[in-house]
Amino acid sequence: GTFPVCLGGLTRQDHRVTQLSACLKSFLPRSVLVSTSVQSLNTTTFMPTKDYDNNVISPSPLQLGPGTFVMVDETELDEGTLLEKGAQSAAAIRSVASKQELPVKFPYCDVKIATDYPLLFLCRGNSSLFDGGDGVKVPLKSENENDQESVFRPTHQGAVAGGENMTKQWWA
């Protein structure tokens, strides 16, 4: 089933996104960070499309192997105008998050391909691409609270590299 998680309270170009991505990649080798902005949604093909002229399906950053951990970085997502491709891209991300289905666009119909990706949304406030549904929203503490230099700082040397117990609380 689906159970996406949304971590809110991050800032634009928040170093915690990079730290979290690196930390998760250290023990989840099949993980990807998908950055979203109005520009990337409008220019990147998140919904694969069949090109009959070249007889290929255009690739998508969401075409991944089963079990790949997907982190969707929405910290750069601002107000703006989504073009048709951007709206389709946002719909494709929502479909994977809520139904675990990746739509593939053919000229006469859309085909939904089953996926198996755990999703983690990283956003400044409420997510624009994640509606909650069957998932959970977790508000993060501000870095300025309790004099935290790094919310992912291990409790002892080597904790991040070894994937050992990280007991530092970084959520509200």
Side-chain angles (χ1 to χ4, degrees):
T2 63
F3 190 75
V5 175
C6 177
L7 298 181
L10 298 166
T11 59
R12 178 185 304 284
Q13 298 178 345
D14 198 318
H15 69 279
R16 295 178 291 179
V17 171
T18 307
Q19 288 176 326
L20 178 60
S21 176
C23 178
L24 290 174
K25 284 182 180 190
S26 72
F27 59 90
L28 293 171
R30 285 192 334 191
S31 60
V32 296
L33 179 63
V34 177
S35 297
T36 59
S37 65
V38 171
Q39 180 182 359
S40 70
L41 289 172
N42 283 333
T43 58
T44 305
T45 305
F46 283 88
M47 175 188 255
T49 305
K50 175 68 176 183
D51 176 0
Y52 280 104
D53 293 335
N54 296 314
N55 198 29
V56 296
I57 294 179
S58 62
S60 161
L62 299 176
Q63 287 176 278
L64 304 164
T68 301
F69 190 82
V70 180
M71 295 167 279
V72 180
D73 179 7
E74 289 188 40
T75 58
E76 297 296 319
L77 194 57
D78 283 325
E79 290 182 15
T81 302
L82 286 179
L83 306 175
E84 181 181 355
K85 187 176 193 176
Q88 289 174 348
S89 294
I93 294 170
R94 273 192 225 103
S95 178
V96 170
S98 63
K99 301 175 195 159
Q100 285 292 303
E101 295 176 340
L102 179 62
V104 179
K105 187 168 185 63
F106 288 87
Y108 304 106
C109 67
D110 290 348
V111 176
K112 295 182 183 353
I113 305 297
T115 61
D116 181 19
Y117 315 145
L119 274 92
L120 174 66
F121 288 86
L122 307 166
C123 56
R124 294 186 304 216
N126 287 328
S127 171
S128 299
L129 301 173
F130 170 69
D131 65 0
D134 292 330
V136 65
K137 295 181 181 178
V138 180
L140 297 179
K141 288 182 181 178
S142 168
E143 281 196 287
N144 296 329
E145 292 178 6
N146 301 325
D147 194 29
Q148 293 176 311
E149 288 179 21
S150 172
V151 294
F152 300 109
R153 182 179 49 232
T155 56
H156 65 300
Q157 192 66 21
V160 173
E164 298 169 14
N165 184 17
M166 293 180 58
T167 58
K168 182 147 181 90
Q169 287 189 346
W170 49 275
W171 54 85

